[in-house]
Amino acid sequence: MSKEHNFQPKIIGIICNWCCYGGADLCGVSRFQYPPHIRLIRVMCSARVDMLHIHRALTNGQDGIFIGGCHLCDCHYVTNGNFNAYSMVQVFRKLLKHIGIYPERLRIEWVSAGEGIRFANFMNEYSDELIKLGPIGKAEGINQETLAFKLEAIKRIIPYIKLVITQRLHLSERTEEAYHKFFKSEEFDRLFDELILDSLVKSQITLLLQKNNLSTGEIAAALGLSPSEVSKHMSDSSKQGLVRFDLNSKSYAIA
């Protein structure tokens, strides 16, 4: 983490119409100060924020994305959509950490319509944190080509990830305590590795093979994996008809 001279982070905020937007509006009316380089987008509910929105913001060079909604258990919709937004953010933050991006770049906060000062305080604190982190990619030591590759691998499995969140990471008990406990648990870590991480690795391998045929060793070197890990993924992908092994070149190719 480093603080660059005169670095001004690009920040997108996607905020709920009923609560967080009201708080932002009150913040302006009350003349509470927060950084001018933050761009706000209003949606009807924080649950309307899609992983593709986050992906697009990061791909376009945003240094930070925050999602603002009603306080948990205080959603204006009977579905309590902010719990869905919270789940999605926890999964995406874990994805970012896995590909080498600071997960702090993505945040979710709860602000009511009467909490203008809370909104201003959060915006100032978040901006300061991103300034300390530095520009996305450069601060992490990842060049733009590698960053684009890793984000594209995530994008390709977003529909599958959304299904996993709905079917396997959905909690029947919709309380703040239950959600915080689950997403900090070893059970969540296990499910993430088993259901999402494997698919992400396969997505990265597929992207690599679209450019060139590669051997197990070359794939392992490119992704920082062991040859045995790659062999396992290639065996699974071969059975699914996604890749094939070329005997002449002794390398894998897209099926």
Side-chain angles (χ1 to χ4, degrees), residues 20-240:
C20 196
Y21 186 81
D25 188 51
L26 178 60
C27 179
V29 171
S30 304
R31 297 180 182 273
F32 298 136
Q33 298 297 309
Y34 66 88
H37 49 263
I38 297 169
R39 299 292 179 261
L40 300 179
I41 300 171
R42 177 168 56 168
V43 293
M44 293 308 292
C45 179
S46 56
R48 294 295 297 166
V49 184
D50 194 280
M51 282 189 169
L52 287 172
H53 300 150
I54 298 172
H55 174 273
R56 184 173 182 179
L58 293 171
T59 301
N60 288 340
Q62 296 299 311
D63 300 296
I65 303 99
F66 80 91
I67 299 165
C70 305
H71 287 275
L72 292 174
C73 299
D74 196 28
C75 180
H76 276 58
Y77 297 97
V78 294
T79 53
N80 279 316
N82 46 7
F83 281 101
N84 298 335
Y86 180 81
S87 300
M88 182 266 294
V89 167
Q90 303 315 306
V91 171
F92 210 102
R93 279 170 61 93
K94 205 167 180 67
L95 282 167
L96 290 179
K97 184 177 180 180
H98 179 75
I99 67 171
I101 299 298
Y102 295 128
E104 294 86 355
R105 295 192 183 281
L106 174 62
R107 287 184 59 171
I108 188 166
E109 294 289 335
W110 318 117
V111 179
S112 75
E115 293 180 316
I117 187 63
R118 173 178 167 84
F119 181 84
N121 288 341
F122 165 64
M123 289 292 92
N124 284 297
E125 179 239 317
Y126 185 46
S127 178
D128 287 345
E129 182 178 15
L130 290 172
I131 289 172
K132 291 177 181 177
L133 289 179
I136 187 169
K138 185 176 181 180
E140 288 91 350
I142 302 174
N143 63 48
Q144 290 303 307
E145 183 180 356
T146 301
L147 177 60
F149 169 81
K150 292 184 175 184
L151 288 174
E152 178 61 24
I154 289 177
K155 180 183 179 181
R156 290 180 173 224
I157 62 169
I158 282 179
Y160 168 73
I161 296 174
K162 290 161 67 173
L163 184 63
V164 169
I165 292 174
T166 302
Q167 300 296 323
R168 299 295 301 273
L169 303 180
H170 177 77
L171 301 184
S172 57
E173 182 185 349
R174 291 219 156 186
T175 65
E176 185 171 356
E177 181 182 3
Y179 270 68
H180 285 173
K181 182 179 179 181
F182 173 72
F183 284 103
K184 291 180 180 178
S185 69
E186 292 182 358
E187 175 66 7
F188 170 58
D189 291 340
R190 182 187 67 78
L191 289 171
F192 178 86
D193 291 348
E194 177 185 319
L195 301 173
I196 297 175
L197 190 54
D198 277 359
S199 293
L200 178 60
V201 173
K202 289 175 183 176
S203 178
Q204 292 175 321
I205 291 173
T206 302
L207 272 176
L208 287 175
L209 294 180
Q210 285 182 341
K211 296 180 180 179
N212 297 295
N213 292 0
L214 298 170
S215 67
T216 299
E218 289 170 329
I219 295 171
L223 299 181
L225 300 172
S226 68
S228 61
E229 289 178 298
V230 173
S231 294
K232 173 184 175 298
H233 289 298
M234 300 315 293
S235 175
D236 292 342
S237 296
S238 296
K239 292 175 182 177
Q240 294 169 8

